[in-house]
């Protein structure tokens, strides 16, 4: 019996001994990992400190209090690597820094957090088609039929696979804008996989994807319409339209604001002004019939824009800030929606909005008689003449419309909100992906160096104008909730009701005029 207990004790002892050793090895492994992580973290902090990227301050109070260490961003030196083409030419690789880690290093000022403008609510509507089914990899890849490029974001870095060349440099500056977004909010965007079509007309038709098993391919572009499911995204010109010498949005917006001050509204020419290319669409050719002539006067002044001729004289007659000298400005679509929309609305002259078919990402937040004056598409001349007559006889109300639209563009479409719209749209889109994105085999990593360092002349200059040099020190604006069915109906009814009211005024005006003649 004694021998039995001795053997049992011996086995139990060795079992405990082995278990203790396993626990010790596990503990030692965890401790080593933790130590390495801490070492890496403090080395990273040290590099940032000695590089001047951050500032560490130790605050001490009374002797009984513990010192408090705070890490703050230096005001003069950016946290993200500055653009260095010389270094890039040596390595031909993007700077190696961790955007995901960087986001934890930033101090965000909570007082700067704002609620997003109301037009952000349409993000929910644009993604509604995939709310129930989610988005599979097969659905994304089916969108490559017309896409110009595929863009993937992994761990805060962008990779692009190009399929086709776009019109002019639309693709280049759209991608540049997304790269700037990643510098504006480093490490804050989730991994995602998206297809982008840089052409004008939407191609994902709702009629082709009906029923319970419908699976439309998600495709991003600059505009859509009521019969399509394309996802709208800010257009390339927010970062500059080199081919027409239109600078990035931050510069243009400031210039137009100054241009508004040059001539008071009442001192401006009391006509409706438009300048553009009338050959791109029948509706614009029809508009030119409303121009002033020896026989008719529709209260308009319409001019043909010849970009080739303008380029030869240095675009001297195309400065957008010089075009706020008429009391009324006309917006009319071209082949689809027109880039000119935001520039026209930014001028504090009331915009006479020829009834559109297409919408971009912000225009759905506007209302007739509040942000613009609606113009019939099928009877433009009479509609324009009445609008100018009404405005010249109701100057305070007309001025109020111009000021509201200009304020909307200046305050709710400033570049910070453009980035926030991109952030929320891509973030909500990424939530719908049912797979883990990976870098396509033919994709290349994107950073400012791979784009700006190879660009020459105005292409590089425009990129430098819009280069994000430092992350934003606040979180994105807070997304408004989606429309419920009743709220959406009320909003659309208000748009339709205001337009019909104007049409009724027009009919009354022309009926009365015809009776007097």
């Amino acid at each position: 019996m004694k021998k039995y207990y001795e053997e049992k004790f011996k086995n139990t002892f060795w079992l405990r001994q082995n278990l203790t050793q396993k626990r010790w090895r596990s503990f030692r492994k965890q401790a080593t990992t933790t130590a390495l992580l801490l070492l890496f973290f403090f080395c990273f902090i040290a590099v940032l400190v000695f590089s001047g990227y951050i500032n560490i301050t130790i605050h001490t109070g009374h002797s009984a209090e513990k010192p408090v260490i705070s890490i703050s961003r230096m005001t003069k030196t950016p946290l993200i690597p500055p653009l260095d083409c010389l270094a890039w030419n040596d390595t031909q690789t993007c700077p190696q820094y961790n955007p995901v880690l960087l986001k934890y290093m930033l101090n965000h000022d909570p007082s700067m957090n704002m609620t997003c403008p109301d037009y952000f609510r349409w993000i929910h509507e644009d993604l509604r088609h995939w709310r129930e089914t989610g988005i599979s990899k097969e659905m994304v890849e089916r969108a490559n039929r017309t896409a110009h490029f595929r863009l993937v974001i992994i761990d805060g870095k962008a990779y692009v696979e190009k399929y086709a060349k776009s019109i002019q440099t639309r693709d280049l500056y759209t991608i540049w804008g997304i790269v700037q977004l990643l510098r504006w909010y480093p490490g804050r965007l989730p991994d995602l996989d998206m297809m982008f079509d840089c052409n004008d007309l939407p191609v994902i038709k709702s009629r082709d994807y009906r029923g319970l098993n419908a699976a439309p391919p998600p495709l991003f572009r600059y505009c859509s319409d009521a019969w399509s499911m394309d996802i709208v995204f800010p257009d390339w010109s927010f970062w500059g339209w080199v081919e027409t010498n239109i600078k990035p949005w931050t510069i243009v917006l400031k210039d137009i604001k100054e241009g508004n001050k040059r001539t008071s509204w009442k001192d401006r020419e009391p006509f409706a002004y438009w300048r553009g290319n009338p050959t791109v669409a029948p509706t614009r050719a029809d508009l030119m019939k409303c121009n002033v002539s020896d026989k008719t006067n529709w209260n308009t002044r319409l001019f043909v824009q010849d970009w080739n001729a303008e380029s030869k004289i240095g675009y001297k007659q195309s400065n957008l800030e010089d075009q706020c000298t008429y009391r009324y400005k006309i917006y009319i679509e071209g082949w689809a929606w027109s880039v000119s929309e935001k520039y026209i609305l930014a001028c504090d002259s009331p915009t006479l909005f020829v009834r559109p078919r297409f919408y971009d990402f912000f225009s759905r937040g506007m209302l007739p008689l509040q942000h613009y004056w609606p113009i019939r598409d099928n009877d433009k001349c009479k509609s324009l003449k009445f609008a100018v007559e009404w405005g010249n006889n109701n100057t305070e109300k007309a001025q109020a419309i111009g000021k509201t639209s200009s304020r909307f563009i200046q305050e709710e479409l400033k570049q910070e909100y453009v980035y926030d719209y991109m952030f929320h749209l891509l973030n909500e889109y990424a939530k719908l992906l049912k797979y883990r994105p990976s870098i396509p085999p033919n994709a290349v990593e994107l950073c400012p160096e791979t784009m700006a360092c190879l660009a020459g002349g105005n292409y590089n200059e425009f990129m430098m104008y819009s280069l994000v040099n430092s992350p934003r020190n606040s979180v994105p604006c807070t997304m408004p909730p989606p429309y419920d069915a009743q709220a959406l109906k009320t909003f659309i009814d208000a748009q339709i009701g205001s337009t019909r009211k104007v049409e009724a005024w027009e009919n009354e005006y022309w009926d009365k005029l015809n009776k007097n003649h």
Side-chain angles (χ1 to χ4, degrees):
M1 183 66 71
K2 181 178 178 183
K3 187 175 181 181
Y4 167 78
Y5 281 110
E6 285 177 350
E7 190 68 28
K8 186 174 181 180
F9 172 79
K10 182 179 179 181
N11 291 337
T12 305
F13 173 79
W14 285 113
L15 182 65
R16 289 177 177 172
Q17 189 77 352
N18 289 336
L19 184 61
T20 301
Q21 289 176 356
K22 287 181 180 178
R23 286 175 176 172
W24 169 248
R25 283 196 297 269
S26 176
F27 171 77
R28 187 169 58 185
K29 184 178 180 180
Q30 291 177 1
T32 302
T33 302
T34 303
L36 288 173
L37 287 173
L38 288 172
L39 179 62
F40 172 78
F41 176 77
F42 285 113
C43 286
F44 183 76
I45 293 289
V47 170
L48 292 177
V49 170
F50 287 111
S51 300
Y53 289 144
I54 63 172
N55 180 37
I56 295 183
T57 307
I58 301 179
H59 306 278
T60 56
H62 300 293
S63 57
E65 296 178 350
K66 295 181 179 180
V68 178
I69 301 176
S70 69
I71 302 176
S72 59
R73 185 166 60 128
M74 298 289 280
T75 56
K76 295 183 179 180
T77 309
L79 273 164
I80 49 181
L83 186 69
D84 188 347
C85 288
L86 291 176
W88 182 81
N89 285 331
D90 291 336
T91 63
Q92 299 287 302
T93 58
C94 293
Q96 297 303 307
Y97 74 103
N98 191 332
V100 177
L101 180 61
L102 183 56
K103 79 174 183 179
Y104 296 109
M105 307 295 299
L106 296 170
N107 279 337
H108 294 123
D109 184 356
S111 65
M112 294 182 67
N113 190 23
M114 308 282 285
T115 301
C116 302
D118 216 42
Y119 64 83
F120 278 58
R121 301 177 78 174
W122 290 94
I123 290 174
H124 303 291
E125 291 299 311
D126 284 348
L127 300 177
R128 173 177 52 84
H129 315 294
W130 300 276
R131 191 179 299 156
E132 299 297 327
T133 62
I135 298 173
S136 67
K137 188 173 184 179
E138 182 270 337
M139 292 163 69
V140 170
E141 291 180 339
R142 273 195 288 117
N144 71 358
R145 182 173 59 87
T146 64
H148 288 90
F149 64 85
R150 180 178 192 169
L151 188 134
V152 175
I153 295 175
I154 304 288
D155 294 332
K157 297 184 178 181
Y159 305 85
V160 71
E161 181 179 16
K162 289 194 175 183
Y163 299 131
K165 180 70 179 70
S166 73
I167 298 171
Q168 297 177 338
T169 50
R170 292 183 179 189
D171 55 350
L172 177 66
Y173 282 91
T174 299
I175 295 169
W176 174 261
I178 296 173
V179 169
Q180 300 318 301
L181 172 66
L182 296 178
R183 290 166 69 87
W184 187 247
Y185 290 128
R188 297 188 65 85
L189 272 172
D191 293 355
L192 59 89
D193 182 4
M194 63 185 286
M195 294 283 188
F196 207 107
D197 185 333
C198 300
N199 287 337
D200 290 327
L201 293 174
V203 296
I204 310 300
K205 302 301 180 183
S206 300
R207 64 174 181 266
D208 297 331
Y209 302 96
R210 292 175 178 171
L212 296 176
N213 296 322
L219 180 64
F220 289 78
R221 71 176 339 102
Y222 309 123
C223 74
S224 190
D225 61 24
W227 302 274
S228 306
M229 305 165 75
D230 301 66
I231 304 169
V232 293
F233 195 85
D235 70 82
W236 75 95
S237 65
F238 282 98
W239 297 273
W241 189 359
V242 177
E243 291 81 5
T244 60
N245 200 43
I246 295 177
K247 292 182 173 61
W249 182 233
T250 50
I251 298 173
V252 171
L253 198 59
K254 187 183 299 183
D255 289 343
I256 294 178
K257 188 174 183 179
E258 291 302 313
N260 282 332
K261 299 176 183 178
R262 294 176 190 169
T263 310
S264 66
W265 186 82
K266 290 184 178 180
D267 292 333
R268 297 178 187 180
E269 296 288 335
F271 305 109
Y273 169 89
W274 181 79
R275 178 185 290 273
N277 183 356
T279 65
V280 296
T283 186
R284 287 193 175 184
D286 187 49
L287 172 66
M288 297 305 291
K289 298 175 184 178
C290 305
N291 212 350
V292 63
S293 68
D294 294 337
K295 297 180 180 179
T296 57
N297 182 10
W298 298 108
N299 291 335
T300 61
R301 297 295 185 269
L302 313 175
F303 303 91
V304 175
Q305 178 74 16
D306 186 337
W307 286 112
N308 289 328
E310 276 296 297
S311 64
K312 293 176 182 178
I313 62 172
Y315 302 96
K316 293 179 181 179
Q317 298 177 12
S318 300
N319 292 328
L320 296 169
E321 65 271 20
D322 296 336
Q323 299 180 24
C324 296
T325 57
Y326 287 80
R327 286 189 186 177
Y328 313 94
K329 298 194 71 175
I330 300 170
Y331 169 75
I332 185 169
E333 294 177 335
W335 185 240
W337 132 100
S338 173
V339 167
S340 65
E341 181 185 34
K342 57 183 176 291
Y343 307 125
I344 292 170
L345 288 163
C347 187
D348 59 5
S349 295
T351 299
L352 309 185
F353 218 86
V354 179
R355 179 177 292 177
R357 171 187 165 185
F358 303 95
Y359 56 79
D360 58 17
F361 75 100
F362 69 85
S363 59
R364 289 172 289 180
M366 302 191 303
L367 285 167
L369 294 182
Q370 182 176 336
H371 299 96
Y372 62 90
W373 183 277
I375 299 295
R376 298 177 197 250
D377 184 45
N378 57 358
D379 200 356
K380 299 180 184 67
C381 300
K382 285 186 175 181
S383 196
L384 287 166
K385 184 175 179 64
F386 170 71
V388 173
E389 292 283 349
W390 183 91
N392 288 339
N393 290 315
N394 297 271
T395 54
E396 289 186 4
K397 292 179 180 179
Q399 274 188 279
I401 294 173
K403 288 180 179 178
T404 300
S405 67
S406 181
R407 191 181 309 115
F408 172 81
I409 298 298
Q410 293 283 348
E411 296 178 5
E412 298 190 29
L413 196 64
K414 55 187 178 181
Q415 189 65 42
E416 289 89 340
Y417 281 137
V418 176
Y419 281 132
D420 281 4
Y421 189 94
M422 294 164 63
F423 174 87
H424 283 301
L425 174 59
L426 295 179
N427 192 60
E428 295 299 315
Y429 168 80
K431 293 177 183 177
L432 298 171
L433 297 181
K434 298 194 297 183
Y435 64 99
R436 186 173 182 177
S438 58
I439 303 171
N442 297 322
V444 296
E445 183 181 354
L446 289 177
C447 56
E449 286 78 6
T450 60
M451 304 178 76
C453 295
L454 292 175
N458 288 345
Y459 298 100
N460 176 274
E461 182 182 358
F462 276 44
M463 287 179 177
M464 293 302 96
Y465 285 148
S466 56
L467 176 69
V468 170
N469 288 307
S470 182
R472 195 181 187 193
N473 63 344
S474 68
V475 295
C477 62
T478 303
M479 268 276 282
Y483 285 106
D484 59 47
Q486 184 57 47
L488 184 58
K489 182 179 182 302
T490 300
F491 183 82
I492 294 173
D493 286 347
Q495 288 182 318
I496 295 172
S498 296
T499 300
R500 286 178 177 172
K501 181 188 292 186
V502 171
E503 290 175 351
W505 292 346
E506 280 184 34
N507 293 337
E508 183 180 353
Y509 170 84
W510 287 107
D511 287 344
K512 186 176 179 180
L513 198 65
N514 290 333
K515 286 179 182 179
N516 292 337
H517 285 79

